[in-house]
Amino acid sequence: MIRVRILDRRLPDPFPLPSFSTPGSAGMDLRAMPDDVLRLAPGDRVKIPSGLAIHIGDPSIAGLVFPRSGLGSRGLVLSNLTGVIDADYTGPLTLALWNAGEETLEIRPGDRVAQIVFVSVVRPDWDIVDDHHFTERGEGGFGHTGT
């Protein structure tokens, strides 16, 4: 159960709360809730409220905020690329948007501009070692397997 606090009076009416669009959806759409229509010229960055605050509460869960793929293909992405919502964060979900495209984009109140995916978090302990066991890959790094 994720606790949600509504911060914008336009939620949940006329704009619905985040939900899964299809039975197979991994993410729930987040809406931009600016006071008025915003125009983002190419290269512009803006922080827009989502109208919500959440409290996950369970340290084995985190929320990851991604751009929506359709808008991302037009250049609207998150300026931090992926947002991480920690289990103990209780503040507003603010969407840091960046127009990385070549055309001016309009963001209207209620537009679905991002999505949140809840994922399991593994919290490992460190095992300090002097060396690792040899693997077939070994220490090959960036591009070592070719293109």
Side-chain angles (χ1 to χ4, degrees):
M1 187 69 61
I2 306 295
R3 296 177 56 92
V4 61
R5 188 164 40 111
I6 297 173
L7 304 176
D8 190 300
R9 61 177 168 61
R10 298 170 290 179
L11 296 169
D13 183 32
F15 303 114
L17 294 175
S19 62
F20 296 105
S21 296
T22 69
S25 294
M28 303 171 92
D29 290 336
L30 296 174
R31 296 178 184 278
M33 297 303 292
D35 292 330
D36 206 350
V37 176
L38 295 175
R39 293 177 56 81
L40 271 69
D44 282 356
R45 298 170 193 250
V46 65
K47 292 179 184 171
I48 298 178
S50 71
L52 302 172
I54 64 170
H55 181 205
I56 297 170
D58 180 346
S60 69
I61 300 172
L64 300 180
V65 180
F66 300 102
R68 293 187 69 233
S69 57
L71 292 174
S73 68
R74 292 180 31 219
L76 186 65
V77 296
L78 300 176
S79 61
N80 59 336
L81 304 182
T82 302
V84 178
I85 311 301
D86 297 311
D88 55 356
Y89 179 70
T90 59
L93 293 183
T94 302
L95 306 170
L97 302 178
W98 170 33
N99 183 355
E102 298 175 4
E103 298 179 15
T104 297
L105 300 172
E106 285 191 353
I107 307 297
R108 292 178 171 77
D111 281 354
R112 296 175 301 148
V113 296
Q115 57 186 319
I116 188 167
V117 176
F118 293 96
V119 296
S120 295
V121 174
V122 176
R123 301 176 67 83
D125 292 322
W126 293 110
D127 181 17
I128 307 299
V129 298
D130 292 326
D131 203 356
H132 294 290
H133 298 288
F134 178 79
T135 66
E136 186 176 318
R137 177 180 178 159
E139 296 182 5
F142 297 110
H144 82 282
T145 60
T147 55

